[in-house]
Amino acid sequence: MTRLGTFRAYYLGAVCCIGGFLFGYDSGIIGGVLTFDSFKNDFDYSKKNETNVTALAVALQQLGGFVACFAIWPFTHRYGRKWALVHCSVIFCIGALIQTINTHSRPAFYIGRVIAGIGLGGSSVIVPMYSSEMSPARLRGQIGSFYQLLFTLGIFTSYWVDYGVASDISKTKSSQWQIPIGLQILPAGLLGLGTLTLKESTRWLATKEKYDKAWESLKWIRADDSEETNLEMDEIRAGVEYEAHAKEGFRMTELVDRHNFKRVLTAAAVFTAQQATGATAFAYFGPQFFKLLVGDEGTTDLLLTAIFGAVKFLACLLFVLLMADRFGRRQTLTIGALSMAVCQITTAIVLKYNPVQKDEPVASSGIATVALIYLFVIAYNFSWGPLPWPYVAEIFPARVREPGIGTGVASQWLFNFVFSLTTPYMIRDMGGWGTFLLWGLFDFLVAAYAWFGLTETRGKTLEEIAVPVDQRRPGTGSSRVLIEEGEGLDPKGPQVVVR
C-alpha cells in the first residue's frame, strides 16, 4: 500500500468520523447547558421539575437516534454510504438550529433534540460501516477507533466551551447557552462538505454490480492499481457475489438465521455493554456527577468536568496511536471492564464512608474519588470506548451489514436512552455511593461477557470473518476467500472457493 493510499485511508476515516466529534460535542454540551441559570430562565422551569427537564432534554435525542438506526439502513442500502452521510449532516443542522433559536418553548427545544438525534443516529450507523468497508485490514482497527477518538475530542471541546461561557458571560444573557448549542452546526456542516470529497464505498458499489466504479473507488482509496490491488478487488467482488448468491432476494428474516442471528445478538450485546459501563452517563451528566464527589462550589464541577474531557481525549488518542491493533479485541475489552469496575466500586466505598459535606472545602477523599474517576475514563478509552465500533462493523458479511450494524447500533441508542433518562433519577434517589456501586457491578458483568462471549477478529479481512466455520474446507483453520478461474457464480465473474 502506497504512502498516499495510507494518507487517503486516514483522511476518509477522519472526515466521516467528524460524526463522532459531533456526537461527542452534543453529548457533552447539554449537561453543562442544563445547569445554566440563563437556560432555566428562558425555558421557565424551577428546581422542582429540573430532574424531569434534564432527563427529557438528554433522552429524547437518544430516542431520535434509536429510530434513525432502523430508518437509515434502507436509505444507505439503496443510495450508498456517502449520500446517506451527507443527508444525516443536513438533518442534524436543522435540529441544532431549532435548539439554538430562543423560542422560550421547551417542546420546541425537545423537537430540535429529536431531529438532531435522527441525524446523529443515522451517522452512527453509516460511519463504522463506511470506514470498515474502505479501510485496509491492517489499519481497520485504528481507523475504526477514530470515531471514538473524535467523540472524545468533541466532549473535550464541549466541556471547555461550557466552562468558558459560564465564567465569562452573564447568567442573565441568552447567549450563554445559545453559543455552545449553536456551535454544533459547524462540525455538522464540515461533515457534510467533507463527505462530498470522498469516494463511495467499494463494497457497496460491488453489491450493486457497479464494478467499474468500484474499481475506481478502490484505486482512489489505495492510491494504487498494482497487482495487489487487483487481487483485493477480485476478493471483494468474489465475497460480495458469494454472499449475494447464497440467498437471492434479501429479507429481514435473514437476520435471524443461524449464523446471522448470533452476529446480531453479539452486536446488540456489545453496544449494550458499552452503555452499561457508565461512561456515557458521565459524558452527559459530568457536572452532576462531580457535584456528588466535591459538592457544589461555584464552577468547580464544570472545571473538573472539563479536565475529565481532556483526560478522556488524551487516553483515546494514546490508544489509537499505540494500541489499536496491537492486542486482541477480547483481551483488551475484558481488562478494560475489570479496571473500570475496580475504580467505580472503590469510589462508591469512599463516598459511603466519607460523604461529601456541604459548605466545606473539598476533602482528601473527594480528591481521591476524582482521581479514581479519571482512571476510570482512561480505562474506558483504552477499551470499551473505541473498540465496539470497529468490532461490530467487522462481524457482519456485506449482505447483511447495513441492517446488522443498524440493529446493533440501535441497541446502543436504546440503552443510551434508557440510561440517560434514568441517571438523573439514580443520582437523586440512590445518592453518590449507590450510583457508583451500580455502575461498578455492571462493569464486572461486562468483563465476564467480553471474556466468555466474544470471539477475536483482529487482523482478519472482512471476507475471512464473514465465512462461517462450517463452510471452511476441512483440515484448515483459514476462511480466506480465494479466486479461481473457471465456471463460477457469475459467467462474467470469478468463482468463490472457501478454505
Side-chain angles (χ1 to χ4, degrees), residues 7-20:
F7 170 79
R8 285 180 177 173
Y10 284 137
Y11 173 73
L12 181 142
V15 168
C16 64
C17 285
I18 292 174

Side-chain angles (χ1 to χ4, degrees), residues 305-474:
T305 303
I307 297 172
F308 174 84
V311 172
K312 187 180 180 77
F313 171 68
L314 290 174
C316 193
L317 179 62
L318 288 174
F319 174 84
V320 170
L321 294 178
L322 303 178
M323 290 184 58
D325 282 307
R326 291 194 177 188
F327 302 97
R329 315 281 200 245
R330 178 168 162 261
Q331 176 187 12
T332 302
L333 291 171
T334 302
I335 294 173
L338 287 174
S339 301
M340 288 187 286
V342 170
C343 291
Q344 296 270 45
I345 291 176
T346 304
T347 299
I349 294 172
V350 173
L351 284 177
K352 174 65 174 177
Y353 294 102
N354 296 276
V356 175
Q357 301 297 324
K358 292 185 178 181
D359 302 321
E360 290 187 10
V362 179
S364 58
S365 59
I367 297 173
T369 55
V370 170
L372 283 168
I373 295 308
Y374 289 167
L375 289 174
F376 159 80
V377 80
I378 290 172
Y380 175 77
N381 281 283
F382 269 72
S383 56
W384 283 94
L387 281 180
W389 299 99
Y391 184 86
V392 168
E394 290 167 346
I395 63 177
F396 289 103
R399 180 171 177 81
V400 296
R401 186 165 292 130
E402 296 103 324
I405 294 177
T407 303
V409 177
S411 71
Q412 191 256 14
W413 283 101
L414 175 61
F415 283 93
N416 201 328
F417 169 76
V418 170
F419 288 127
S420 62
L421 183 64
T422 57
T423 294
Y425 299 98
M426 290 165 57
I427 293 173
R428 185 189 68 184
D429 299 333
M430 297 174 63
W433 78 271
T435 302
F436 285 110
L437 178 62
L438 181 62
W439 291 125
L441 294 176
F442 282 162
D443 285 329
F444 268 124
L445 294 176
V446 168
Y449 170 70
W451 185 253
F452 295 107
L454 298 182
T455 56
E456 190 54 63
T457 60
R458 183 176 72 96
K460 298 179 181 179
T461 67
L462 297 182
E463 283 67 38
E464 287 178 305
I465 298 168
V467 178
V469 175
D470 60 3
Q471 294 183 23
R472 299 176 188 175
R473 182 175 295 173

